[in-house]
Amino acid sequence: MHAGSGVADRIVRAKSFPLANTGISGKFGALLPAMIRSRTASFRTRTCILTAAALAAGTLAWALHPKNAGPETFEIKFKLPPPRPLTAEEELKMFKVAKGFHVELVAAEPMIETPIAQSWDEKGRLFVCEMRGYMQDVEGKGEDKPLGRIVMLEDTDGDGKMDKRTVFADGLILPRAILCVNGGVLVAEPPVMWFMKDTKGTGVADLKEQVDGAYGSRGGQPEHMANSPTRFLDNWIYNANSGTRYKLKDGKWIVESGGASRGQWGMTQDDYGRSYYNFNSDFLRSSFVPESLYKRNPNFAASAGAGVQILKEQDCWPSHPTPGVNRGYDAKSLRADGTLEKCTATCGAGIYRGGLFPKEFVGNAFIPEPSANLVKRVIVEEKDAVLTAKNAYGDKEEFLTSTDERFRPVNTYTGPDGALYITDMYRGIIQHKSFLTHYLIANIIARKLEEPFDKGRIWRIVPDGAKPQTVKLPAESAKIVDFLGHANGVIRDTAQRLLVERKDAAVAPAIAKVATSGATPLAKIHALWTLEGMAALTPDVITACLKDKDAKVRAAAVRVSDRTMSAELAKLTGDASVNVQIALAFTLSGFPEGQDGAITLARRSGANPLVREAIVSGLRGRELEVLDALIKNSDKPAPADMLGALAQAVMNERRSARVKTLLALIAAQPANSPAQLAMLEGAAGKNPPKGAPKFKLLYLDSESAEIATLAKTANAKSKPLVAAVDARVAWPNKPGVPPPPVIVPLTADQQKLFETGKTVYNTLCTACHQPTGTGMEGLAPALVDSDWVLGNADILPRIVIHGLNGPIKVEGKTWNLEMPPLGAALNDEQVAGVVTYIRREWEHNASPITVDAVAKIRAQNKTRTKAWTEPELKPSAPRKNTGDQPKPVAN
């Protein structure tokens, strides 16, 4: 859906190109003018005009998508002939799959069209989301039409191929996500998340209730909005590209926002509830701790186990040339043989949990790359609770490839039969119109890839010799309990969901028995979380599971514990398992009754960043007291990093009295001792967690004598730390320090613009820059306190409108980013709004920017055809205002 799109794509504009320099030659060069003329009617107001004057001048005026991107001249590489659309049977022959497996067709057109997501219910029925209005041509015709639908597919004879189709819901505008829950289906039709249900047994939804009215926005770029609702082990439904989560409780939907925004398109979990997601040019990331708990403490930017890039290599190996990618004109995009070198459209990763594949495939990630027509297999490994990943095969080999250019895998799933399922949009265009380059448009037209757009297939990968059968869960709750220990993780998930939804107290004792004496650790873990969801946990069950021989079971028991279990949990602070330590850190720190246990754990295991950050995440407002306890009355000194993290959180809290108490604690330590140095480092802001913003000047109500004391006793190591702390604080009449800034409130109109910008930011920007503005390591720099944000007011609008190509320096670090232009997608009011929001959120006090100022900037650069670079926007020496260089624009 987003081949070559998104934050990592280099997208620049082109107005025209000389025919002589295009590389378009031979038969296609002769046909191109006629092709363009023949298409003018279908482009309505935007047409491709070929005039005699243009021909005489040797240029082709390319008015199609005048706001779109691309260099002024380019070469269509490898000049492949137009590929013939294949039937499903013909496409099947184009696959090359790893040894020991084969591909089977599950469904194809006309049974389905443009499938993008799927979900099974407990009866084995497959619900498919069809985004039929998506990109029917390069103009995006049909996107505003109610063409989307949800279809229900059934395999009535058990042969693995769907043979019955029912339209469950239709008349939808670009639906993009689906999830079977509570006897119905969650359906995302931005800006609404609906719950739809068939209450009459017809197979057609007759109930339609709104769950969330802020699920993305109508229109816009599908790959930059919320998608992929996924029910996790903890009984919450999380979404990709969104910080919102849902839970059905007592028949009502709970909607919580403000959490971490995960990935771009697609999300999944493993057997232990750890999340996996990706970005179009970043194959796989994971959060191996519960990110929602990290967000408990705004005083500390925890990040050690969240959004971690677990696969570093981004190479892919298509089995045929793939020149039709959005940045194919870039010499770095394609290899000499025409194949895509690194991923540019990766999405929809799935973790295999089916029990049908050989043992070595369990927990592997299968990741689509639709622009390369392949699915990659990645082996995920764990050591001390940290996940890493590696390619399963060597160079030039992938798990599944196709030589059919219209094979567009966008999601992978473990099915209820244990097979690996692939959602195939089967079409030529997958790049959204907002990010199409002229290079890709030329490829699409030349090679007739606009049509067909009404196809689609679902495939399954099966081990040779296997005959998978879909498991359908029984109707009776008592019979469902045993499925908590099924070999297939999807079946375990479904059994847990059904039992939690029903809350049948009569089966609670049977579930408790599975929790304490189930046949496998996974059965016990699912039973624990099922009881948690049913509000049927008892201290006896938790206590028994806290003593289980399997560390993952013990960790799950810790996670489901409440404050009444503090004493029992404290007994585990010496547990050797890092997984148990992390769970204890999150749970014990979260309530005052667990504080003593958290302090003990901090002394023992606080050197581990996963444990340390989990502890601090639960201590909001109590960091100073825990720090005080750690440095007193103990024969075992606390790890230095633990002390530093707590000191850092107290400084970030920015409460004058507590900061002064912290400085007193630091000064009271033996001069230049390890404890004093650690706390000074934290207070100074040295070695902050990834993503933490730089510090603002903190104004105390009176002078801090402790800083003077520390300065007198400082040695060579502590002296710069004391100076850094001194530089962070101010007080009345402190020499050389400016008075506190005067915050100029926004006017009513500016506040309205701010709110507009907040909506834009939450829709387009949070996936990479995060709701907190702290960015994401390896993907997007922090916006908080950035000179790029708070400096020249002209810079940010230019970047938003035309994009930015790296390398750039942010806070001394070099980022080789490629931010796409959004000028075609956002009007002047939206650009002004998002810039105003970024310049005023997160304690920023920069001036807002007006709609008129944005309009002037846009007008000044109307002929610009490429993204900005750092030397253009932030020159090291004064530059003359000429051409496209930044010009001051009054606000």
Side-chain angles (χ1 to χ4, degrees):
M1 179 167 299
H2 44 282
S5 68
V7 293
D9 281 323
R10 180 173 180 258
I11 300 178
V12 292
R13 272 202 238 156
K15 184 177 181 182
S16 65
F17 54 83
L19 277 174
N21 296 326
T22 61
I24 303 174
S25 59
K27 182 178 179 181
F28 176 59
L31 289 177
L32 183 57
M35 290 171 55
I36 296 173
R37 282 198 302 270
S38 70
R39 299 177 50 80
T40 56
S42 66
F43 291 148
R44 291 175 288 184
T45 57
R46 291 182 182 177
T47 59
C48 293
I49 303 171
L50 184 62
T51 66
L55 282 172
T59 61
L60 174 63
W62 191 269
L64 172 62
H65 282 267
K67 292 183 178 180
N68 271 92
E72 296 182 6
T73 61
F74 59 80
E75 177 186 4
I76 292 185
K77 301 178 180 179
F78 303 98
K79 305 181 184 68
L80 302 179
R84 178 176 63 86
L86 303 181
T87 65
E89 291 72 20
E90 290 173 325
E91 185 189 4
L92 181 60
K93 298 176 183 179
M94 301 296 106
F95 289 121
K96 179 184 177 184
V97 67
K99 185 178 180 180
F101 295 88
H102 63 276
V103 184
E104 297 179 356
L105 179 65
V106 176
E109 71 284 344
M111 184 171 279
I112 54 171
E113 294 181 26
T114 319
I116 61 164
Q118 59 194 65
S119 181
W120 288 266
D121 71 0
E122 60 273 18
K123 299 177 182 178
R125 301 179 299 185
L126 178 58
F127 290 77
V128 180
C129 180
E130 298 183 338
M131 192 186 276
R132 297 171 67 233
Y134 180 76
M135 292 302 292
Q136 294 184 1
D137 59 21
V138 292
E139 285 289 306
K141 179 182 68 177
E143 286 200 348
D144 58 345
K145 306 297 183 184
L147 303 175
R149 62 192 177 199
I150 308 301
V151 297
M152 181 178 70
L153 307 182
E154 298 176 74
D155 174 14
T156 62
D157 58 10
D159 67 352
K161 191 170 183 178
M162 300 298 170
D163 49 51
K164 181 181 178 182
R165 166 183 174 271
T166 305
V167 177
F168 180 77
D170 59 7
L172 305 172
I173 298 176
L174 291 184
R176 67 196 61 194
I178 188 172
L179 180 68
C180 291
V181 292
N182 198 36
V185 183
L186 283 177
V187 176
E189 183 196 21
V192 179
M193 172 68 83
W194 302 105
F195 174 69
M196 300 183 183
K197 190 172 184 178
D198 165 25
T199 65
K200 300 177 181 178
T202 63
V204 179
D206 52 79
L207 173 68
K208 185 177 181 180
E209 299 176 342
Q210 179 174 309
V211 174
D212 184 4
Y215 199 86
S217 61
R218 178 62 54 84
Q221 302 82 28
E223 71 269 29
H224 286 298
M225 282 187 271
N227 62 84
S228 304
T230 306
R231 194 177 191 278
F232 273 66
L233 183 64
D234 66 358
N235 299 309
W236 282 94
I237 296 170
Y238 297 89
N239 296 275
N241 217 329
S242 169
T244 300
R245 64 178 186 170
Y246 310 119
K247 178 184 281 190
L248 183 65
K249 185 175 183 180
D250 300 328
K252 295 182 179 180
W253 286 101
I254 299 171
V255 181
E256 286 189 0
S257 15
S261 181
R262 311 176 188 206
Q264 187 168 344
W265 183 272
M267 185 169 63
T268 189
Q269 68 168 343
D270 65 12
D271 283 338
Y272 304 104
R274 296 173 293 203
S275 62
Y276 298 80
Y277 40 89
N278 51 27
F279 296 85
N280 56 11
S281 56
D282 189 344
F283 268 119
L284 194 62
R285 288 183 179 247
S286 176
S287 293
F288 29 92
V289 300
E291 287 180 278
S292 58
L293 297 181
Y294 264 175
K295 301 300 179 181
R296 295 179 297 178
N297 192 347
N299 301 329
F300 190 77
S303 62
V308 179
Q309 186 185 51
I310 62 174
L311 180 65
K312 303 301 183 183
E313 300 85 6
Q314 308 303 330
D315 293 343
C316 59
W317 300 96
S319 56
H320 70 116
T322 55
V325 294
N326 214 30
R327 291 180 291 158
Y329 55 80
D330 190 330
K332 296 181 292 184
S333 293
L334 303 175
R335 297 185 180 91
D337 63 359
T339 58
L340 184 67
E341 182 171 3
K342 296 185 182 297
C343 63
T344 185
T346 188
C347 56
I351 298 295
Y352 183 74
R353 307 169 60 210
L356 184 67
F357 283 19
K359 185 178 180 181
E360 63 267 25
F361 287 79
V362 175
N364 288 188
F366 290 86
I367 312 169
E369 216 308 350
S371 67
N373 317 117
L374 61 81
V375 175
K376 178 180 285 290
R377 175 188 166 207
V378 167
I379 298 172
V380 179
E381 299 175 319
E382 177 182 357
K383 182 178 181 181
D384 293 334
V386 174
L387 300 178
T388 56
K390 62 182 181 181
N391 291 317
Y393 308 104
D395 288 353
K396 302 184 180 181
E397 189 174 359
E398 299 286 4
F399 177 74
L400 175 71
T401 63
S402 174
T403 55
D404 185 353
E405 193 166 353
R406 288 181 173 85
F407 171 55
R408 303 298 196 183
V410 294
N411 263 309
T412 61
Y413 304 88
T414 301
D417 57 0
L420 178 71
Y421 281 71
I422 299 171
T423 310
D424 175 10
M425 288 182 76
Y426 200 78
R427 51 175 28 236
I429 303 178
I430 51 175
Q431 172 66 63
H432 190 260
K433 64 182 181 181
S434 296
F435 296 112
L436 276 172
T437 62
H438 286 291
Y439 171 88
L440 184 52
I441 291 171
N443 270 275
I444 291 168
I445 295 174
R447 305 185 57 240
K448 301 179 181 179
L449 291 172
E450 281 185 297
E451 295 181 348
F453 53 77
D454 57 354
K455 309 299 181 184
R457 288 90 194 253
I458 294 175
W459 309 95
R460 70 175 183 179
I461 311 298
V462 178
D464 293 342
K467 295 182 178 180
Q469 294 294 316
T470 293
V471 176
K472 302 178 182 180
L473 274 70
E476 302 89 345
S477 296
K479 293 182 179 180
I480 293 175
V481 174
D482 286 343
F483 286 86
L484 293 172
H486 197 276
N488 187 333
V490 171
I491 302 301
R492 294 195 302 272
D493 293 347
T494 304
Q496 177 181 325
R497 174 178 65 79
L498 291 173
L499 293 169
V500 169
E501 289 171 352
R502 296 177 184 182
K503 287 192 174 180
D504 185 350
V507 299
I511 300 172
K513 185 176 180 180
V514 175
T516 56
S517 56
T520 65
L522 287 173
K524 296 176 180 180
I525 290 170
H526 276 279
L528 278 169
W529 281 108
T530 301
L531 292 170
E532 188 272 347
M534 296 172 62
L537 277 167
T538 64
D540 288 345
V541 170
I542 295 175
T543 300
C545 291
L546 289 174
K547 299 174 182 177
D548 196 275
K549 64 180 181 180
D550 187 271
K552 291 287 204 313
V553 175
R554 298 197 301 275
V558 173
R559 285 280 314 281
V560 300
S561 295
D562 63 15
R563 62 182 63 205
T564 65
M565 298 298 297
S566 295
E568 288 298 321
L569 296 181
K571 296 177 183 178
L572 270 71
T573 54
D575 196 302
S577 166
V578 178
N579 282 291
V580 175
Q581 294 168 14
I582 294 168
L584 286 169
F586 278 119
T587 304
L588 286 172
S589 66
F591 38 83
E593 296 89 337
Q595 185 164 298
D596 288 344
I599 291 171
T600 300
L601 183 66
R603 285 199 180 100
R604 292 176 173 174
S605 306
N608 185 316
L610 291 171
V611 177
R612 177 171 66 251
E613 294 189 3
I615 291 173
V616 182
S617 77
L619 294 177
R620 181 181 184 181
R622 293 181 285 130
E623 302 95 336
L624 183 62
E625 290 72 20
V626 170
L627 176 61
D628 188 29
L630 282 173
I631 59 178
K632 292 179 180 177
N633 305 321
S634 176
D635 295 332
K636 180 178 175 59
D641 288 341
M642 188 76 239
L643 300 179
L646 291 167
Q648 186 178 95
V650 174
M651 292 294 287
N652 290 347
E653 190 180 14
R654 299 178 64 80
R655 292 172 59 183
S656 176
R658 292 175 67 78
V659 169
K660 291 180 73 173
T661 301
L662 170 66
L663 296 175
L665 282 177
I666 296 173
Q669 302 307 302
N672 306 306
S673 63
Q676 187 179 73
L677 288 172
M679 287 189 281
L680 279 172
E681 286 187 352
K686 185 178 180 181
N687 300 321
K690 294 176 182 178
K694 69 179 184 181
F695 303 103
K696 297 180 174 68
L697 195 61
L698 171 61
Y699 288 87
L700 306 179
D701 53 11
S702 61
E703 183 175 357
S704 171
E706 289 78 11
I707 290 181
T709 301
L710 288 166
K712 291 179 182 178
T713 60
N715 61 13
K717 191 171 184 178
S718 60
K719 187 174 181 179
L721 297 175
V722 174
V725 174
D726 185 31
R728 288 191 61 184
V729 298
W731 50 80
N733 301 317
K734 183 179 181 181
V737 175
V742 177
I743 298 177
V744 180
L746 297 176
T747 65
D749 288 343
Q750 290 168 342
Q751 186 63 40
K752 183 179 179 181
L753 204 60
F754 177 93
E755 296 301 328
T756 296
K758 182 176 182 180
T759 299
V760 172
Y761 184 85
N762 288 334
T763 300
L764 295 178
C765 311
T766 55
C768 299
H769 290 290
Q770 297 298 296
T772 56
T774 52
M776 182 175 288
E777 183 67 20
L779 190 66
L783 300 175
V784 175
D785 289 342
S786 169
D787 291 339
W788 287 86
V789 171
L790 303 179
N792 186 340
D794 301 352
I795 290 177
L796 211 52
R798 295 173 189 273
I799 294 174
V800 173
I801 294 170
H802 287 108
L804 177 67
N805 279 354
I808 68 167
K809 275 197 172 183
V810 182
E811 300 301 319
K813 179 178 179 180
T814 299
W815 296 76
N816 287 297
L817 58 81
E818 293 176 345
M819 178 177 165
L822 298 174
L826 302 178
N827 59 34
D828 292 343
E829 181 181 2
Q830 291 170 316
V831 173
V834 74
V835 171
T836 295
Y837 175 77
I838 292 170
R839 284 168 63 84
R840 294 294 292 220
E841 182 68 342
W842 313 304
E843 295 188 25
H844 289 169
N845 191 32
S847 62
I849 189 165
T850 67
V851 177
D852 287 345
V854 171
K856 290 179 181 178
I857 290 173
R858 196 189 291 266
Q860 288 171 352
N861 299 283
K862 62 184 179 181
T863 62
R864 188 171 183 84
T865 61
K866 58 183 179 180
W868 294 99
T869 63
E870 180 174 34
E872 292 176 298
L873 293 176
K874 300 186 76 174
S876 56
R879 295 174 61 155
K880 185 178 180 181
N881 281 327
T882 59
D884 287 328
Q885 295 171 8
K887 304 178 181 69
V889 177
N891 286 338

